[in-house]
Amino acid sequence: MLGLSLLWAAVVQAQPAALQVADPAQSAPAARAVPGRICLVLSGGGARGFAHIGALQALQELRVPIDCIAGTSMGAIIGGLYAEGVSVDVLRSQVSGLDWGGVLSNRPAREGTSFGRKQADERMPGGVEFGLSDRGQVQFPNAAVNTTQLEQVLTNLTLPAIGAPDFNTLPIPFRAVATNMVTGQKVILDHGVLATALRASMSVPGVFPPTEVGDALLGDGGLVDNLPVDVARDMGAQHVVAINIGTPLASRASLDNIVGLTSQMINILIEQNIRAQIASLKPGDVLISPDLGSVSALDFQDGERAIRIGYDAVMAARTQLAPLALSPAQYALWRDAFAQRAQALVAQMRFNAPLAGVEVRGLPVGVDRTLQAQLQQKAGQPLDFTAVRRDVDRLFGLGDFSRVDYRLVDAPQGQVLEYRLQDKPWGPNYLRFGLGLYTDLRNQSRFALQLAQRRPWLNSLGGEWRNDLQIGWRNRWFSELYQPLDARDTLFVSPYLDLDARPVDVYQGDNPIVRYRLNTRRVGVDLGVPVSGYGELRLGVSRANISADYLLGQTGLVNGQTLREGGVRALALFDRLDHAYFPTSGWRARLETFAARTGLGSDSNYDRIDLSGQADFSLGRQTFEVAGRAASFRDRKGLGLDYFSLGGFDALSGYREGQLIGNYLVYARLGYRYALTTPGLFGGASYLGLLLERGNTWTQRTSVSLGDLRQSVGVYLGTDTPLGPVYFGVAKAPGQKVNVYLTLGRP
């Protein structure tokens, strides 16, 4: 989010060093060589619209004054911000320079994600969310992309426009074009909240959710008027400078699939309305069509190239634009008057005045009060952009709302900060399917189908029911109720049920000789404390029945008996990694202790302690990782459980999964990862990694020795996909065969 100083810079056009703000008496419109109102028309075209930034820079250098602006989609965003007073330099850095892959991601930055969502993503990465109504009707999201982060950027950049609800009173009068998705009619947005108008104009159907403005449901204006010359005429333009960056029609070779055909159909509709607008141009108007070539509407990472092309295209049309240009002195007066109007908008922003109120809008009574109690920004305090950013990130990170935005509203008692939220229309039960695959390309393979379900806001305090189901190599059903005990969620209670059945192999050397199924049926309840977004602390009791079924081979470990376990668990979980599987920074730690006691229904007294952690840091594309684990199972009566295991990818990779078992465990890992490709708009990065690992397990405590650690070296290729992380790795340990791994997701 923009800081206060950057915000001030954003709303005041950069002036040449020799220019100062004009005296009000000198702010009259400058005389024109060619009289008449000049209006700039900016078309839509997705990422191709970055060319408009270069066009604006060139128009400034050619001293062409702009008296009004009409824009559609990305043209509306660039044009609306410029009309408000945002400088070309800030447009370049804050719009073209954005991490558009992150801004247009369906998921918030992991820093702002709730701890419950972090755990869910770690258990089951990837998958597409859909909904289930209370009547059992399956419902799907209304768009591919959640625009919460985009709306936050637009709100930040348009805060000064709160004082100009009529777009005619902006430093440059402005219009945005949208489409009424119910009637199909063109909607011209000339008043209201500027950020909402900009967002509505680029609501591409199926990609971005439509925007509600009043009673209308608005979508992308390009469907009806992608080059709004007619809107400029209605604003009184005698001369039009039209910048057309619309996406050209695709070749026949690209029309061999449904995606290509659908895209072509939309482009045909847009091209038709563009041609109609071009035909309406008159002598004295200037049409500029930058040759953007292979730059597509989705090339948000190629902004600088589009900016250069837009700049060059306008400069190439300098002869046509010359009759519209002012002399240096006249243009200085025009720019001074423009800067003065922009500064007047900033001046009415009372940044240091205490907020009269902070409210949550759009949710049922009770839910809004609960969320309001958890906000960092408080009434009676000046507006703190850092606190607001954290509030928006946290609300978005809950994963419960299709829209999270904020507005500053002038009220009789002063300025009120409103957080505006909208429930996901495809709820209230949210489902995700996942897929997990694992093979060592020898005789060990696993497959898993996964389903995650959650039902948030069972009550006004934020109670949530969560279910995770896995079927395949391992069968598991984990069901938990998370119930805060107060509105601030400072304390929660969490009863749970865990039914787990998983095969366990016993090895002789690197060959499995025994396989049995370990069955665990557990019920428990925890009392917990969230730790400031970092994690949570839990203390609880549980009871379980543990049994084993013989599958292959013969062993004395599997005797058909059931072990009853009852005890007290303490759990501390912290997660500050910026990515669950390919982090570049942050840390994660976990400490679990369990004390089984006969007084709580256990067949025997024993203690378990399991401590693990990980830390990552990066230098450019290089990421370094340090991780470790230490665990002990103090078996007081010699139950012979061999509770912990090592082996498998990322857990002493040179050994087969579960090859080393024992009651005591030590493990350490040094990792290096190089980003071969950076994340795209809809795809993740790919990596080349190196693992240096040491560790071992022991049955008896007296055998534990750091001099007895085994080692392993491995390399892997990894990539982040919509279905979850994919790894292909090769690892070798002394005395062991080469292990080859292929994994998808979290099997």
Side-chain angles (χ1 to χ4, degrees), residues 438 645-649 651-653 655-660 741:
Y438 174 93
S645 66
L646 277 177
F649 181 71
L652 212 58
S653 308
Y655 291 82
R656 305 190 67 184
E657 188 173 65
Q659 183 175 342
L660 306 177
Y741 299 101

Side-chain angles (χ1 to χ4, degrees), residues 278-300:
I278 291 176
S280 72
L281 293 173
K282 302 176 181 180
D285 295 335
V286 180
L287 172 65
I288 301 172
S289 300
D291 184 7
L292 289 159
S294 61
V295 178
S296 77
L298 298 179
D299 285 337
F300 286 94

Side-chain angles (χ1 to χ4, degrees), residues 629-634 644 661-667 695-709:
R629 184 184 178 195
S632 72
F633 177 81
R634 190 179 178 189
F644 303 109
I661 59 175
N663 290 332
Y664 299 89
L665 177 150
V666 172
Y667 171 77
N696 207 350
T697 63
W698 302 269
T699 299
Q700 301 295 327
R701 183 177 182 181
T702 55
S703 302
V704 176
S705 172
L706 296 181
D708 192 25
L709 297 181

Side-chain angles (χ1 to χ4, degrees), residues 321-407:
L321 292 167
L324 305 178
L326 297 174
S327 69
Q330 289 174 327
Y331 190 69
L333 289 175
W334 183 88
R335 284 297 301 264
D336 285 346
F338 178 31
Q340 188 176 49
R341 293 191 295 270
Q343 289 172 342
L345 280 183
V346 174
Q348 56 84 37
M349 294 290 295
R350 300 186 296 275
F351 288 114
N352 296 320
L355 292 170
V358 177
E359 301 175 355
V360 174
R361 299 286 190 182
L363 300 178
V365 177
V367 175
D368 56 356
R369 294 174 183 170
T370 295
L371 292 176
Q372 186 172 329
Q374 299 173 14
L375 298 174
Q376 289 191 18
Q377 178 68 67
K378 302 296 183 184
Q381 299 176 352
L383 183 66
D384 182 342
F385 285 95
T386 300
V388 173
R389 178 186 64 80
R390 289 174 179 168
D391 286 339
V392 173
D393 287 349
R394 183 187 176 281
L395 293 169
F396 183 32
L398 292 174
D400 302 334
F401 308 111
S402 63
R403 183 178 184 181
V404 179
D405 197 6
Y406 76 92
R407 291 286 183 266

Side-chain angles (χ1 to χ4, degrees), residues 455-510:
R455 174 64 162 88
W457 297 102
L458 295 170
N459 48 59
S460 62
L461 291 180
E464 180 172 300
W465 184 31
R466 308 163 178 169
N467 286 276
D468 292 314
L469 180 66
Q470 177 171 311
I471 299 174
W473 171 264
R474 180 180 185 180
N475 298 323
R476 189 185 186 197
W477 174 32
F478 180 78
S479 182
E480 178 184 40
L481 175 65
Y482 180 94
Q483 179 58 61
L485 298 180
D486 63 356
R488 296 182 61 84
D489 193 15
T490 57
L491 188 68
F492 66 87
V493 63
S494 181
Y496 61 89
L497 168 70
D498 190 358
L499 305 179
D500 187 16
R502 59 185 178 91
V504 176
D505 289 338
V506 179
Y507 285 82
Q508 186 174 69
D510 64 352

Side-chain angles (χ1 to χ4, degrees), residues 247-587:
T247 303
L249 298 180
S251 65
R252 179 170 181 170
S254 63
L255 304 181
D256 58 353
N257 58 75
I258 188 172
V259 175
L261 287 170
T262 302
S263 176
Q264 184 81 330
M265 177 183 67
I266 295 174
N267 289 338
I268 289 173
L269 295 174
I270 293 175
E271 182 66 19
Q272 288 177 345
N273 71 58
I274 288 178
R275 290 176 181 174
Q277 293 296 322
I278 291 176
S280 72
L281 293 173
K282 302 176 181 180
D285 295 335
V286 180
L287 172 65
I288 301 172
S289 300
D291 184 7
L292 289 159
S294 61
V295 178
S296 77
L298 298 179
D299 285 337
F300 286 94
Q301 309 305 322
D302 206 6
E304 283 299 318
R305 179 183 170 200
I307 289 173
R308 287 196 307 272
I309 293 173
Y311 176 87
D312 292 341
V314 172
M315 283 300 187
R318 67 175 66 205
T319 301
Q320 296 170 268
L321 292 167
L324 305 178
L326 297 174
S327 69
Q330 289 174 327
Y331 190 69
L333 289 175
W334 183 88
R335 284 297 301 264
D336 285 346
F338 178 31
Q340 188 176 49
R341 293 191 295 270
Q343 289 172 342
L345 280 183
V346 174
Q348 56 84 37
M349 294 290 295
R350 300 186 296 275
F351 288 114
N352 296 320
L355 292 170
V358 177
E359 301 175 355
V360 174
R361 299 286 190 182
L363 300 178
V365 177
V367 175
D368 56 356
R369 294 174 183 170
T370 295
L371 292 176
Q372 186 172 329
Q374 299 173 14
L375 298 174
Q376 289 191 18
Q377 178 68 67
K378 302 296 183 184
Q381 299 176 352
L383 183 66
D384 182 342
F385 285 95
T386 300
V388 173
R389 178 186 64 80
R390 289 174 179 168
D391 286 339
V392 173
D393 287 349
R394 183 187 176 281
L395 293 169
F396 183 32
L398 292 174
D400 302 334
F401 308 111
S402 63
R403 183 178 184 181
V404 179
D405 197 6
Y406 76 92
R407 291 286 183 266
L408 277 175
V409 179
D410 279 324
Q413 68 273 26
Q415 284 190 333
V416 175
L417 176 64
E418 292 184 354
Y419 293 91
R420 305 192 308 163
L421 281 68
Q422 182 177 342
D423 278 323
K424 290 181 177 178
W426 58 91
N429 297 284
Y430 303 112
L431 306 176
R432 274 201 303 156
F433 277 110
L435 180 67
L437 297 171
Y438 174 93
T439 179
D440 62 2
L441 303 185
R442 290 163 73 179
N443 62 354
Q444 193 175 56
S445 299
R446 297 204 311 266
F447 172 80
L449 286 174
Q450 300 163 316
L451 173 65
Q453 175 271 341
R454 65 184 186 90
R455 174 64 162 88
W457 297 102
L458 295 170
N459 48 59
S460 62
L461 291 180
E464 180 172 300
W465 184 31
R466 308 163 178 169
N467 286 276
D468 292 314
L469 180 66
Q470 177 171 311
I471 299 174
W473 171 264
R474 180 180 185 180
N475 298 323
R476 189 185 186 197
W477 174 32
F478 180 78
S479 182
E480 178 184 40
L481 175 65
Y482 180 94
Q483 179 58 61
L485 298 180
D486 63 356
R488 296 182 61 84
D489 193 15
T490 57
L491 188 68
F492 66 87
V493 63
S494 181
Y496 61 89
L497 168 70
D498 190 358
L499 305 179
D500 187 16
R502 59 185 178 91
V504 176
D505 289 338
V506 179
Y507 285 82
Q508 186 174 69
D510 64 352
N511 295 311
I513 58 172
V514 174
R515 176 172 294 168
Y516 62 93
R517 180 183 292 111
L518 186 64
N519 305 299
T520 304
R521 298 175 293 277
R522 185 182 303 276
V523 294
V525 60
D526 290 333
L527 188 67
V529 177
V531 185
S532 185
Y534 280 69
E536 60 186 29
L537 303 175
R538 293 184 177 223
L539 180 66
V541 295
S542 70
R543 296 193 63 175
N545 288 337
I546 303 171
S547 62
D549 298 328
Y550 160 79
L551 297 177
L552 295 171
Q554 295 183 355
T555 176
L557 293 175
V558 181
N559 54 22
Q561 295 180 352
T562 297
L563 171 67
R564 293 179 300 175
E565 180 181 86
V568 177
R569 181 183 73 157
L571 179 64
L573 292 168
F574 302 94
D575 190 341
R576 299 295 290 175
L577 295 177
D578 62 353
H579 194 284
Y581 294 95
F582 298 107
T584 59
S585 65
W587 57 275

